[in-house]
């Protein structure tokens, strides 16, 4: 591969991230507190809220973590989907220094948001959370923003991941799984989450970065404080 070809590919990758963040930021504004009041999510806040719990899903688990980035997300949220490639790129770059955590926060109005969260949790019980997390985001345009029930679609994803389908179905429909999703929501509500995605750096909620470079700079700033 020539130097010029590599440069062109890098420029294309940057352009895609910039466009994605522009879409994400616009979508997030639509979910801002002024347009999506907290009362629309009928969830009681946790009595003792925690940004991260022992059973929270860690997408990276460095031996020496210098920062914990928590995202409260909805798999059906277009803004979350737009942030996904950037989070993946940041995870690739900083996964040996930063703990990235995904927590469920399905929003009202998304027909399959809560079902998608339970799908991810059912996959997690077979050690495939990350794979299902990626699958749901990379296919979001195929099933998101639909009023049709997408359980058959999600079961198809589970089959593609070679999950034990009898176990998957049992966990998917177990009230404890719905409770696990609700526990994340209750923490989020207590911590002031009102829209998705919402990010926390070491337990402190941050304003959503509008560009990839801004997100990366925030991480660099926090890491430099620990050096």
């Amino acid at each position: 591969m020539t130097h010029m070809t590599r440069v062109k590919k890098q420029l294309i990758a940057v352009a895609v991230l910039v466009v994605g963040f522009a879409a994400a930021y616009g979508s997030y504004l639509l979910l801002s507190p002024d347009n999506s009041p907290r009362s629309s999510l009928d969830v009681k806040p946790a009595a003792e809220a925690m940004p991260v719990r022992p059973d929270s899903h860690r997408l990276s688990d460095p031996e020496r973590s210098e920062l914990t980035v928590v995202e409260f997300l909805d798999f059906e949220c277009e803004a979350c989907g737009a942030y996904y490639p950037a989070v993946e790129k940041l995870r690739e770059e900083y996964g040996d220094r930063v703990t990235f955590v995904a927590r469920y926060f399905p929003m009202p109005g998304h027909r399959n948001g809560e079902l998608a969260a339970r799908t991810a949790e059912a996959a997690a019980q077979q050690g495939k959370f990350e794979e299902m997390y990626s699958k749901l985001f990379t296919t979001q345009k195929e099933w998101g923003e639909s009023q049709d029930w997408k359980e058959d679609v999600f079961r198809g994803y589970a089959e593609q991941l070679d999950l034990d389908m009898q176990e998957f179905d049992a966990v998917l429909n177990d009230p404890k799984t719905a409770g696990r999703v609700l526990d994340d929501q209750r923490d989020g509500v207590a911590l002031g989450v009102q829209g998705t995605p919402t990010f926390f750096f070491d337990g402190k909620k941050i304003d959503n970065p509008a560009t990839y470079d801004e997100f990366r700079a925030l991480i660099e700033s926090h890491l430099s404080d620990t050096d």
Side-chain angles (χ1 to χ4, degrees), residues 111-171:
R111 177 77 168 91
N112 290 284
E114 193 271 345
L115 174 62
R118 285 192 284 118
T119 296
E121 186 60 25
Q125 298 307 307
Q126 297 188 47
K128 293 289 184 72
F129 173 80
E130 184 175 347
E131 291 85 349
M132 186 62 80
Y133 160 91
S134 296
K135 190 72 174 176
L136 290 167
F137 275 133
T138 56
T139 63
Q140 187 191 72
K141 291 182 180 179
E142 299 172 15
W143 60 267
E145 301 301 325
S146 172
Q147 292 308 305
D148 296 328
W149 191 240
K150 296 296 184 178
E151 184 172 344
D152 287 345
V153 173
F154 296 160
R155 291 188 79 255
Y157 296 160
E159 289 175 343
Q160 291 173 26
L161 295 178
D162 293 325
L163 299 183
D164 179 316
M165 294 307 298
Q166 184 174 354
E167 180 181 349
F168 174 83
D169 288 337
V171 175

Side-chain angles (χ1 to χ4, degrees), residues 21 80 132 220 224:
F21 260 85
C80 296
M132 186 62 80
E220 284 286 348
S224 65

Side-chain angles (χ1 to χ4, degrees), residues 8-22:
K8 286 182 179 179
K9 287 193 173 184
Q10 290 171 353
L11 289 175
I12 291 171
V14 170
V16 169
L17 285 173
V18 169
V19 171
F21 260 85

Side-chain angles (χ1 to χ4, degrees), residues 3 6 19 75 85 137-138 163 184 222 226:
H3 173 70
R6 286 197 298 269
V19 171
F75 288 108
F137 275 133
T138 56
L163 299 183
D184 273 13
H222 280 73
T226 63

